[in-house]
Structure formats: structure tokens, C-alpha cells
Amino acid sequence: LALTDLAKGNADRAFGSLQAIAAKDAGETADLALITARLRRREFDAALAAIDALAKKQPNKATVSQLRGTALREKGDLVGARAAFEEGLKLQPTYFSAIAALADLDMRAGKSAAAKERLQAAIKADHKNVQAYMVLLQVLEFDKAKAEERMAVVDTAIKANPSDAAPRLAKISLLTRQGNSKGAAGEAQAALSAIPDHPEL
């Protein structure tokens, strides 16, 4: 009902209801709905207050640190955001959302080498982490890395995740942009053999 009020534009009543529920309920559903709504409305201080309330229920959770970092980043506090994301990684060293967020901050600071190193470490820790490969590819493209280096990343990702369409689509895109339409078509056919009936492929 609170979310319905919010959708109808009755924001004051909706937020009041969500805050009341969050205060009484040991679960996180109302807290997350409240935080998400505040972030969508770019009410960052209110979102941070709601995140602090959730942190009292769920201390030492990487997801809470991630929410705080996201709110601070959107608010423009990149130093605070970095500290929050790093805290999330201390709590859960393999938490990829924090790794990706820190890589994004590295890129914003002009430290693409640091972003690349961070993502390569994530892949070394989990060679099947397809998200890490895809974000690394974005970093390499931003850095105008050689086509061979980018292709090596997608090939490794495909080998590690043969049934995942994302790296195969990335390879098709790379080949297409290189003007190799024949190679792209061949890759698409090979991908369809591995992942039949995939609409994008």
C-alpha cells in the first residue's frame, strides 16, 4: 500500500508508512524500498539516513556499505563513496558490486591502470566471473587498448563461460566494428550452436 501511494504521487504518506514499517519490522524489505525511492528522487541525505537505519539492523553487511557508497557517489562525494565501497570489500572481499564501483571511481579519477589491475585480480580470484570480464572490456575500450588485447579478454571469458551469451555478443560486436562481418557471422553461428534459440544471438 505504501508503494502504491508512492506510485500515485502521495510521497509524504508513502514515506511515512515505509518509515513506520521499517522501524517496527526486523526485515529489510521496507528499508530497501525506502532507500530505493529516496535515491530515485535524488534525496540523498534522506537515503543516507535510511541506510544508517538499515545498518543498525544489519551491521557489517557488504550490501549496506554498497548502498551507502552508491548514495554518496550520486551525491558527488566521491571520497566518501570510495571509503564506503572499500569498507564493503573488507567485509566481503569477493563482492563484485564493490569491485566494479571502485573500478568506476578509478576511471573517473583517470586511473585506468588501477581499474584494470583491480578487475584482473577479481578474475584471478574467480576465473568464471563474467561480469569482471565485461567491465574489464569496458575499461580497455575506454583506454583505446589494442583490438588483440580486447579480443583476448572476450576469448578467455567465452572459454570460462561457454554457456553465457554476454562475452559471445561482445566478441561479435568487436568483430563487426573491425569490419570483419564474415568473422562476426561465423562467431554468431558458433554461439548459437552453444546457446540455441538465444534471441540476441
Side-chain angles (χ1 to χ4, degrees), residues 146-148 150-151 171-181:
K146 291 182 179 179
E148 294 81 3
R150 288 177 280 165
M151 195 65 76
K171 183 170 184 178
I172 294 165
S173 176
L174 277 174
L175 289 167
T176 302
R177 282 181 282 153
Q178 290 171 8
N180 186 355
S181 57

Side-chain angles (χ1 to χ4, degrees), residues 6-30:
L6 191 61
K8 289 180 177 178
N10 301 322
D12 290 341
R13 185 164 70 181
F15 284 131
S17 297
L18 287 171
Q19 286 170 337
I21 296 165
K24 295 176 182 177
D25 186 7
E28 64 179 23
T29 303

Side-chain angles (χ1 to χ4, degrees), residues 93-94 96 99 115-137 140 152-154 156-157 160-161:
T94 59
F96 186 70
I99 294 170
K116 183 177 173 181
E117 184 178 337
R118 191 184 298 279
L119 292 161
Q120 287 172 332
I123 290 168
K124 186 175 181 181
D126 176 11
H127 77 284
K128 289 183 176 292
N129 189 338
V130 71
Q131 289 178 293
Y133 287 107
M134 294 300 95
V135 178
L136 176 58
L137 182 60
L140 292 175
V153 170
V154 291
T156 306
N161 302 276

Side-chain angles (χ1 to χ4, degrees), residues 9-47:
N10 301 322
D12 290 341
R13 185 164 70 181
F15 284 131
S17 297
L18 287 171
Q19 286 170 337
I21 296 165
K24 295 176 182 177
D25 186 7
E28 64 179 23
T29 303
D31 299 86
L32 291 175
L34 183 59
I35 293 163
T36 300
R38 292 294 194 189
L39 288 174
R40 283 178 181 166
R41 291 164 64 93
R42 302 188 66 79
E43 297 171 352
F44 301 123
D45 290 337

Side-chain angles (χ1 to χ4, degrees), residues 18-88:
L18 287 171
Q19 286 170 337
I21 296 165
K24 295 176 182 177
D25 186 7
E28 64 179 23
T29 303
D31 299 86
L32 291 175
L34 183 59
I35 293 163
T36 300
R38 292 294 194 189
L39 288 174
R40 283 178 181 166
R41 291 164 64 93
R42 302 188 66 79
E43 297 171 352
F44 301 123
D45 290 337
L48 287 165
I51 291 165
D52 287 341
L54 178 60
K56 292 176 182 177
K57 292 184 184 180
Q58 298 185 338
N60 302 321
K61 289 289 289 288
T63 50
V64 177
S65 296
Q66 183 72 16
L67 286 167
R68 182 176 288 108
T70 299
L72 290 168
R73 181 185 62 197
E74 295 305 307
K75 186 181 178 182
D77 181 359
L78 300 187
V79 174
R82 182 178 288 277
F85 293 135
E86 287 175 346
E87 178 63 25

